[in-house]
Every structure is written in structure tokens, then in C-alpha cells.
Amino acid sequence: MEFGEIVSVLLQGAVVTIKIVAMALPLAAVMAFIFGLIRLYSPAPFKQIAIFYIEFFRGTSALIQLYWIYFVLPFFGITIDAMTAAVVALGLNIGAYGTEVVRGAVQSVPKGQYEASIALNFTARQRVWRIILPQAFVNMIPPFGNLAIELVKATSLVSLITIGDLTFKAKSLADTTLQVGEIFGVVLFLYFIMSQALALLFKLLEKRLSKGLGRGGIN
């Protein structure tokens, strides 16, 4: 098989991988924010729910989570197509790690900012949304960037539920052409390019938010 044809097929798989990342990453961010803030500010019963979510999805295999959503839930009358199962499984898994990013970033805001907002008679909601989170958000960007790269790499698991992502296309080509070196060399390069593109995007986002916030907080 010509090298150009190999690249063409693998690029088709890369497009599917990018689509999965584009859908799973926002889900992960939403779950991270919701459960991170619940862990910090909610009453004890809600905190226990958040802790269960975090520990369950961090303490079990992402592959088994994917299998459960796609293969096991239909036995309970819940049938989900492969793409949705992939997005949900990866989003929930990465989101569980993201909750600790949110919690750590919020707790890293200087104590003086809390005290100043209290002195200015800000409500609890105002303290969180106008003072704490804008500063914490900038601190979240680098670790969220790392999680986004982990998400890119984790998408290789979805090939096991027959989604035609980059890894699936590579395996199929390798089985039919036996051109293993060329195929997986291109695959390595494509995963690297996608990861670096995400890293650059998050660096630019961090830089822009840092400029927009200035020194931030209450001076």
C-alpha cells in the first residue's frame, strides 16, 4: 500500500479522534466544575456524592468503564451508541481527575482575597463567582491542559468498541498490509501533533486569561 494512502486512511481516523476529544473535553470540564465546587461548598451529603464519583472513576479502569457503558447498560434497558458511550466514559473519567484540579486551584487563592471580600460585605455567592473563581480559573488551565492531553491518549481505548478512530484504523491497516512500521510511525506522529496542538491552545488561553485578569483579586 502506498504511503500516501496509509496517511489518508489514518487521517480519517484522526478526524474521529478529534471529534471524540471535542465532545468529551467539555463534558469533563463541566463534571470537574460541578463536583469540584460541590466538594468545596456543599453540605456533607452532597460532598459524599462528589467523593464517591471522584473515587469511583479514578479508582477503576477507564476501559472497564467504557465496557460497562457500552456493553453492560443494554442489559438494564439503556442502549447507547458507540460514539456516545465513548464520549460519556472518557468525559466522566477525565472529569473525576479534573475535580481535584478545581479544588486545588480554588484553595490556592490567597486567604487575603477571602478576607477582603468578607470585609467588603460580599455574599458567599459573590465571593465565589466574582473573586475566587476568576483567579482560580487561571491556575486551573495548565493542569487542565495536561488532562486534555491524557484524554487524547485515552481515546485509543474506543477502538475496542469498534469506533473507527485513529487506533482502530491503524490496527485494521496493520492487519491487512503488514506495514507495521510505517503505519504506527504515522500514528505516533499524529497523536503527538494533536497533543502539542492542545498544549499550545491551553498555553495561549492561560496567557490571554492572565492578561485579562491582570493581577486579579481585590487590591
Side-chain angles (χ1 to χ4, degrees):
M1 191 173 187
E2 294 293 330
F3 183 74
E5 294 176 297
I6 290 174
V7 172
S8 178
V9 173
L10 293 177
L11 284 175
Q12 294 173 20
V15 169
V16 175
T17 294
I18 292 169
K19 287 180 180 177
I20 293 170
V21 172
M23 290 185 285
L25 191 55
L27 174 60
V30 169
M31 298 302 292
F33 271 97
I34 290 173
F35 284 95
L37 294 178
I38 288 174
R39 181 88 184 268
L40 284 167
Y41 298 116
S42 291
F46 295 101
K47 284 185 180 179
Q48 293 304 314
I49 293 172
I51 290 170
F52 174 78
Y53 161 69
I54 294 165
E55 297 304 326
F56 178 82
F57 280 94
R58 292 198 309 172
T60 57
S61 164
L63 178 59
I64 302 304
Q65 294 162 18
L66 180 64
Y67 278 178
W68 255 88
I69 291 172
Y70 186 63
F71 292 117
V72 179
L73 287 184
F75 288 100
F76 298 93
I78 304 171
T79 301
I80 301 176
D81 64 90
M83 181 65 80
T84 302
V87 170
V88 170
L90 296 179
L92 292 177
N93 182 270
I94 297 297
Y97 289 93
T99 56
E100 294 304 293
V101 171
V102 172
R103 188 165 71 100
V106 169
Q107 291 177 333
S108 72
V109 175
K111 187 178 179 181
Q113 297 294 315
Y114 290 90
E115 294 170 348
S117 63
I118 292 171
L120 291 171
N121 291 322
F122 282 19
T123 65
R125 184 185 296 272
Q126 288 173 325
R127 287 198 298 271
V128 171
W129 291 101
R130 294 179 59 183
I131 304 300
I132 306 306
L133 281 183
Q135 296 177 75
F137 192 67
V138 176
N139 296 332
M140 295 177 200
I141 299 301
F144 265 127
N146 292 335
L147 288 178
I149 292 172
E150 290 301 317
L151 174 58
V152 170
K153 293 186 286 186
T155 56
S156 61
L157 297 175
V158 306
S159 64
L160 298 174
I161 58 171
T162 69
I163 293 179
D165 73 316
L166 179 54
T167 299
F168 183 89
K169 294 289 188 181
K171 288 178 179 177
S172 299
L173 281 176
D175 289 341
T176 55
T177 68
L178 302 181
Q179 295 171 271
V180 177
E182 298 96 319
I183 292 167
F184 285 102
V186 174
V187 169
L188 279 175
F189 178 74
L190 290 175
Y191 274 117
F192 177 75
I193 290 298
M194 287 187 285
S195 297
Q196 291 304 302
L198 268 178
L200 178 60
L201 178 64
F202 275 87
K203 283 180 182 177
L204 292 174
L205 180 59
E206 180 187 11
K207 187 176 180 180
R208 180 162 186 176
L209 288 175
S210 298
K211 279 186 179 180
L213 188 62
R215 293 301 175 188
I218 302 172
N219 297 310

